């Protein structure tokens, strides 16, 4: 099995979970970056005019968010893909949508994870549906500072 952990993060919480998954599986890490990087002001959820608030309230704006690069070197060589993101407004942060819809997941197993202090994984089925051709292994929400043991327990439960 050759595994890949693809993740988008702004605060670093999702990166920590991604790194734990990579360590547990021997996977390659691949960080996704927004084509138009988010600034601290863009991410200020208390400001109703901030970029993330505008995107959260406008489906067309969310769908227009693009990544700097949606490709992964040697994509065809991976059997298992983990995709991770923080939860924004009750859903996996929408920048990962560009990655999910830009790649062919045929023949790959896919597991998704999100990080959040309190929100649930609100759009797990959307993530699953965007990854065309994937064999869905399931999704998991981790608290912002999830323990390595909790992450490794979830990975183990997937019986890869």
């Amino acid at each position: 099995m050759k595994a890949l952990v693809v993740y988008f993060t702004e605060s670093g919480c999702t990166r920590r979970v991604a790194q734990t998954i990579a360590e547990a599986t021997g996977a390659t890490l691949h960080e996704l970056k927004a084509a138009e990087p988010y600034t601290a002001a863009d991410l200020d959820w208390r400001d109703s005019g901030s970029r993330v608030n505008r995107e959260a309230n406008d489906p067309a704006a969310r769908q227009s968010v693009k990544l700097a690069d949606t490709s992964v070197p040697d994509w065809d060589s991976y059997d298992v893909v983990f995709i991770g993101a923080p939860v924004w407004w009750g859903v996996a942060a929408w920048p990962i949508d560009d990655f999910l819809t830009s790649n062919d997941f045929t023949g790959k197993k896919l597991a998704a994870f999100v990080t959040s202090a309190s929100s649930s994984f609100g759009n797990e089925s959307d993530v699953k549906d965007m990854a065309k051709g994937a064999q869905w292994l399931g999704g998991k929400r981790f608290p912002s500072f999830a323990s390595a043991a909790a992450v490794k327990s979830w990975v183990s439960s997937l019986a890869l």
Side-chain angles (χ1 to χ4, degrees):
M1 164 196 86
K2 187 170 179 187
L4 173 70
V5 181
V6 179
Y7 67 96
F8 174 80
T9 190
E10 286 296 330
S11 70
C13 294
T14 305
R15 178 182 296 113
R16 284 188 291 279
V17 173
Q19 288 170 331
T20 302
I21 293 169
E23 290 166 9
T25 61
T28 302
L29 276 172
H30 184 82
E31 184 174 359
L32 301 172
K33 297 279 190 182
E36 181 185 334
Y38 287 88
T39 66
D42 289 338
L43 296 168
D44 185 357
W45 58 270
R46 295 170 300 234
D47 175 0
S48 61
S50 71
R51 178 178 168 191
V52 291
N53 268 312
R54 288 190 317 270
E55 291 171 354
N57 293 316
D58 180 357
R62 272 195 312 272
Q63 292 170 355
S64 70
V65 174
K66 299 297 178 198
L67 295 170
D69 189 0
T70 60
S71 64
V72 172
D74 299 321
W75 172 252
D76 291 336
S77 70
Y78 293 101
D79 308 300
V80 178
V81 178
F82 292 88
I83 179 107
V87 173
W88 288 356
W89 283 258
V91 299
W94 42 89
I96 69 167
D97 296 358
D98 190 27
F99 177 80
L100 291 167
T101 58
S102 296
N103 288 285
D104 180 4
F105 285 81
T106 302
K108 297 183 186 314
K109 295 177 181 179
L110 177 67
F113 63 96
V114 294
T115 56
S116 172
S118 61
S119 297
S120 66
F121 193 153
N123 64 333
E124 185 176 337
S125 63
D126 291 342
V127 170
K128 173 186 171 188
D129 292 345
M130 282 186 262
K132 300 294 183 207
Q135 177 188 344
W136 183 245
L137 297 177
K140 177 76 173 169
R141 177 224 166 245
F142 291 100
S144 299
F145 292 96
S147 71
V151 175
K152 289 176 182 177
S153 176
W154 174 65
V155 170
S156 180
S157 76
L158 299 174
L160 300 173

